[in-house]
Every structure is written in C-alpha cells, then in structure tokens.
Amino acid sequence: MKVSDIREIPAALREKVWELYEESFPEHERRTRSAQATAFADPSAHSEVWLGEEEELAGIAFYWLFDDTVYLEFLAIHPSMRGHRIGSGIIDALLTRYPGKRMILEIEPPVEELAARRLRFYERLGFVRNPYAYTHPSYRKGEHACPHELVIMTHGRIATPEEFARFTDFMRRVVWQYAD
C-alpha cells in the first residue's frame, strides 16, 4: 500500500477522500471540508490517504500527535476495500511508526449492531474500553450543534485518570477549536 498526505494527492483523488469522509461519519461527528483543511495546517494534525496497488483509494486515517499520544480521530475504509484487513493494517502501521506512544480513539456507544461490530474490531486489535464518561462537542456550531456521548478506547490498557485528563485538555485546547 502507498500512503500519502491528503495535501499531496491529485484533486480528483482528494475529492474521493472527501466523499469517503462524508459518507463514513455523521455530519455532527465531522468537520466541514474547509474546517478539516484548516485543522490539517495544525502541526499536530496528520492526514494519511492509503492507496491500493492500482492507486485506488483504500482508506483514510486522520490523527493527532501530542505528548506521548496518537489520537486517531477518523479512520475510514473505502466500501470496496472492506474485509481485506486494511483497517487493521493502518492501525498496525501507526502503532509501529509511533512506538511507545499510547493510541486513543473514540467510538459510538455499542448500542446498534454496527457500533458493536466496531467495538469488537478494535478489541481484536488490542484496544480496551475506558470507564470515563465522555461527551464530544459537535464540530458544527449554533443550531446545527449536536454534542454526543462517545466511548474512549486506548490500546493496551485503560488510560490513567491523568492520561485521560491530558487527552481531554488537548481536545479542548486544540482539536475542538477546528469547528464551523
């Protein structure tokens, strides 16, 4: 697989990335294209576009690096590529690239079947569910705002209360600032 930054790919492929992003996440859980592009200018933010052998879009990973943490904000696999271990490959690549850093991510509460499958997927990869109550604010402001409960998962072990506090502080100070 080939990995590129979203800012370094041709416009036609970038459009496919945005389409995958918009199809994969509900409106209140994602930024607008312009807000996401602004977020990518932050030195802590990273975008990876994963391409298959034919240069076709396989998946995307948008993540943040801070302190000793990799916060995987968005992971999406193109529908035609699902079931080929691309998602687990992306996670393995990130864990290998950033040894010693804790990986943290959020998922919807596993109430519906798709969310329960997502929970099992991450658990198979070594993530554990954290006991902390967590409300993510909407990336939309005003009347379109929709804060939502999410489950925090960390790779390898539950985050300590101090690690969780550092994560939520980083989210407040940096990540949540990029909203419309």
Side-chain angles (χ1 to χ4, degrees):
M1 298 228 121
K2 179 181 174 186
V3 182
S4 295
D5 185 287
I6 193 170
R7 294 166 290 194
E8 299 170 357
I9 60 175
L13 183 56
R14 193 174 316 115
E15 181 60 28
K16 290 181 180 185
V17 168
W18 289 124
E19 289 170 5
L20 176 61
Y21 174 68
E22 291 166 351
E23 292 167 0
S24 298
F25 302 98
E27 184 177 15
H28 67 277
E29 288 185 17
R30 61 179 157 79
R31 295 178 186 89
T32 62
R33 291 182 184 197
S34 62
Q36 188 65 53
T38 302
F40 288 148
D42 188 295
S44 301
H46 299 268
S47 67
E48 292 187 359
V49 177
W50 290 68
L51 305 173
E53 293 177 18
E54 306 290 321
E55 299 285 314
E56 75 278 18
L57 178 60
I60 58 173
F62 298 165
Y63 62 95
W64 299 78
L65 296 177
F66 68 99
D67 299 334
D68 61 348
T69 304
V70 176
Y71 164 50
L72 181 57
E73 185 175 29
F74 297 107
L75 174 67
I77 307 305
H78 192 277
S80 68
M81 304 295 270
R82 291 181 187 150
H84 294 98
R85 301 195 40 80
I86 293 169
S88 57
I90 291 172
I91 295 216
D92 288 344
L94 291 171
L95 290 169
T96 300
R97 190 175 317 134
Y98 301 108
K101 288 192 179 285
R102 171 151 343 283
M103 186 176 287
I104 188 166
L105 54 85
E106 309 147 322
I107 63 168
E108 304 89 357
V111 176
E112 296 179 10
E113 178 55 30
L114 182 60
R117 284 195 343 240
R118 192 171 291 117
L119 172 69
R120 291 189 298 271
F121 166 77
Y122 287 118
E123 287 175 335
R124 282 192 305 275
L125 296 176
F127 285 85
V128 294
R129 192 174 175 166
N130 282 245
Y132 308 110
Y134 180 73
T135 301
H136 192 290
S138 177
Y139 284 129
R140 307 303 166 125
K141 293 182 179 178
E143 66 183 51
H144 299 289
C146 182
H148 47 285
E149 297 293 320
L150 293 176
V151 173
I152 296 294
M153 298 190 79
T154 46
H155 191 263
R157 67 170 172 77
I158 293 173
T160 65
E162 294 79 17
E163 290 167 332
F164 179 70
R166 282 196 311 272
F167 169 71
T168 56
D169 178 63
F170 178 76
M171 296 297 285
R172 257 189 309 281
R173 284 184 304 100
V174 179
V175 176
W176 295 338
Q177 301 307 307
Y178 298 104
D180 289 328

